[in-house]
Amino acid sequence: MPARPHGPRIAIIGGGIGGLAAAAFLRRAGLNATVHEQAPALSEVGAGLVVAPNAVRLLRRLGVMKAFLRRAVALEWGWEFRRWADGGVLSVEALTDVCEQLYGERTYVIHRSDLLDAVRSAVPGAWIRLGERCTSVEAGPDDVSLSFADGSRTEADVVIGADGVHSVVRSGLAARPSPGYSGVCAFRTLVPAHAAPEFALRPAQTIWLGPGRHFVHYPIAGGSAVNVVAFAPAGDYTEESWSATAPTEEFRAEFADWDPRVTDLIVAGGVPGRWALLDRSPLRHWSRGRVTLLGDAAHPMFPFFAQGAAQSIEDAAVLARCLAASPDDPEQALKRYESARIPRTTRLQEISHARRDANHLPDGPEQETRDTALAASDPLVTAGWIYGHDAEAALTT
């Protein structure tokens, strides 16, 4: 890595949403960085995600909202819970105007690749190096040495591991127990708008709850497709891979007894992806010396609160602020970043695990109590600590 004229030499390992967000916020803070991405092109596998106000306000500060809104869909209803057998509405939250009044921003749904493109628009192309797979990270007394699969090496003053759940950077920081079996796997597919039933095209995040399973859908890609993601018993399936697939019939069989509108969506989609949700305990520390982590590398969480991407964006904003405040003392900056972020991300990891059990209750008294509570609650208000959070403002208080 060539010497930088100002500030520390910062290397970001991973060019996903979190890695590019880190680069974008560092640039906004007046620092420079190099993003090392192992793939030959920047892309996001997977499908849709929810972008709540806590992330939207940070994207707005980056100046990428114009690019973001080209393909994002603003939710008019959110958290529309339905009963598995007949689609009866258990709870629904009107978001139009209300979300913006409470938190200053709306809630959107978007394809992962469209969010990646929006964030990338704030990163200079010269900062991004493709086809560079990091294989090891070695910290020295004054800098950090990075090795890559092609035999090349480089040095940096600060290394940020944004390389996902199977992070190479994290593996070099500390020993960590192997992930545990959660008993849950996820299916995902995309349904073209022309093949989707009308009810699935509404700007709503619809969540069907049933025994041992739940099923989610919402429109993405400017309304041209419907994102479908569902959770079911894993059996002996343990493959944690975004590229693994399953037969459509296997997906459909998991929901065979559900409302026909659910199975119709499954059949209308393409070949589904399938991955196991593995259980990982929160880390007590994710920085050592001049090396740190963000996003899934630091705090992988079950997707039941739809905060994975949002938390990586929050990480990026806070990390950039910390490094800009102490450019000559990166170790202290990383300690400040870690202490600012771990309590919040740990809480989200824990409640995401708890949501799994609540979503999958079998029919009976507990399920009826849950449904009564859903009907009486206002999720937009009760989750205010998530959506109302301003990661940058919280750092200064």
Side-chain angles (χ1 to χ4, degrees):
M1 178 185 295
R4 299 296 189 187
H6 302 290
R9 299 167 299 168
I10 303 173
I12 300 169
I13 307 303
I17 291 168
L20 290 185
F25 279 106
L26 287 165
R27 180 177 182 238
R28 174 174 171 258
L31 298 175
N32 297 276
T34 300
V35 179
H36 300 272
E37 166 56 39
Q38 66 177 344
L42 289 178
S43 63
E44 271 285 2
V45 295
L49 49 79
V50 178
V51 188
N54 55 305
V56 176
R57 66 174 55 90
L58 297 175
L59 294 175
R60 189 176 298 281
R61 290 173 193 163
L62 278 182
V64 301
M65 286 301 289
K66 183 176 181 181
F68 175 79
L69 292 173
R70 289 193 190 106
R71 301 283 284 172
V73 176
L75 291 181
E76 296 178 14
W77 299 278
W79 309 284
E80 180 187 71
F81 291 96
R82 289 177 176 261
R83 179 165 165 76
W84 67 279
D86 57 11
V89 176
L90 305 174
S91 173
V92 65
E93 179 71 25
L95 292 186
T96 303
D97 298 329
V98 178
C99 189
E100 195 167 7
Q101 290 168 7
L102 285 172
Y103 306 126
E105 296 288 357
R106 302 187 69 175
T107 296
Y108 299 86
V109 284
I110 193 169
H111 195 289
R112 297 184 72 92
S113 63
D114 293 331
L115 177 58
L116 186 77
D117 288 345
V119 174
R120 183 184 184 179
S121 69
V123 180
W127 287 21
I128 301 170
R129 297 185 178 181
L130 301 175
E132 295 194 351
R133 180 169 65 86
C134 182
T135 55
S136 70
V137 178
E138 299 175 18
D142 300 315
D143 60 16
V144 183
S145 179
L146 302 172
S147 298
F148 297 91
D150 63 1
S152 63
R153 294 174 64 90
T154 192
E155 286 72 43
D157 300 310
V158 177
V159 172
I160 301 168
D163 48 343
V165 70
H166 301 294
S167 172
V168 169
V169 180
R170 184 185 64 227
S171 66
L173 284 179
R176 180 172 178 173
S178 298
Y181 175 74
S182 75
V184 178
C185 73
F187 293 89
R188 70 171 186 274
T189 191
L190 289 179
V191 180
H194 67 80
E198 190 67 28
F199 84 95
L201 299 175
R202 296 171 306 126
Q205 181 188 8
T206 302
I207 306 166
W208 302 66
L209 304 181
R213 296 161 176 78
H214 74 279
F215 186 94
V216 183
H217 58 80
Y218 47 80
I220 59 170
S224 65
V226 174
N227 181 68
V228 171
V229 60
F231 303 89
D236 59 359
Y237 189 82
T238 59
E239 186 172 357
E240 188 184 38
S241 169
W242 278 102
S243 61
T245 61
T248 299
E249 188 51 43
E250 184 176 329
F251 185 9
R252 186 181 185 280
E254 290 288 350
F255 295 86
D257 298 331
W258 287 44
D259 186 300
R261 288 174 289 183
V262 168
T263 50
D264 286 349
L265 267 175
I266 293 172
V267 172
V271 175
R274 185 189 188 192
W275 74 98
L277 272 62
L278 299 188
D279 203 355
R280 291 176 170 84
S281 299
L283 293 174
R284 292 186 296 173
H285 300 284
W286 64 51
S287 299
R288 178 185 291 174
R290 297 167 177 265
V291 182
T292 194
L293 305 172
L294 66 72
D296 283 349
H299 44 73
M301 58 187 67
F302 287 173
F304 304 147
F305 271 81
Q307 277 287 307
Q311 290 309 301
S312 70
I313 293 169
E314 286 190 8
D315 288 347
V318 171
L319 178 55
R321 281 288 185 97
C322 291
L323 285 168
S326 304
D328 298 324
D329 191 353
E331 293 191 28
Q332 182 58 38
L334 299 188
K335 288 179 181 178
R336 185 186 180 206
Y337 155 67
E338 178 187 84
S339 64
R341 294 296 298 154
I342 282 182
R344 176 167 168 83
T345 58
T346 295
R347 184 179 178 187
L348 278 161
Q349 285 176 287
E350 291 171 347
I351 66 167
S352 295
H353 281 65
R355 174 64 70 86
R356 170 194 61 185
D357 298 331
N359 283 355
H360 294 180
L361 290 172
D363 284 352
E366 284 188 279
Q367 163 261 319
E368 292 169 3
T369 298
R370 177 203 66 195
D371 293 352
T372 299
L374 282 173
S377 70
D378 185 341
L380 197 60
V381 174
T382 57
W385 68 273
I386 301 176
Y387 309 125
H389 185 76
D390 186 325
E392 292 184 315
L395 186 65
T396 61
T397 58

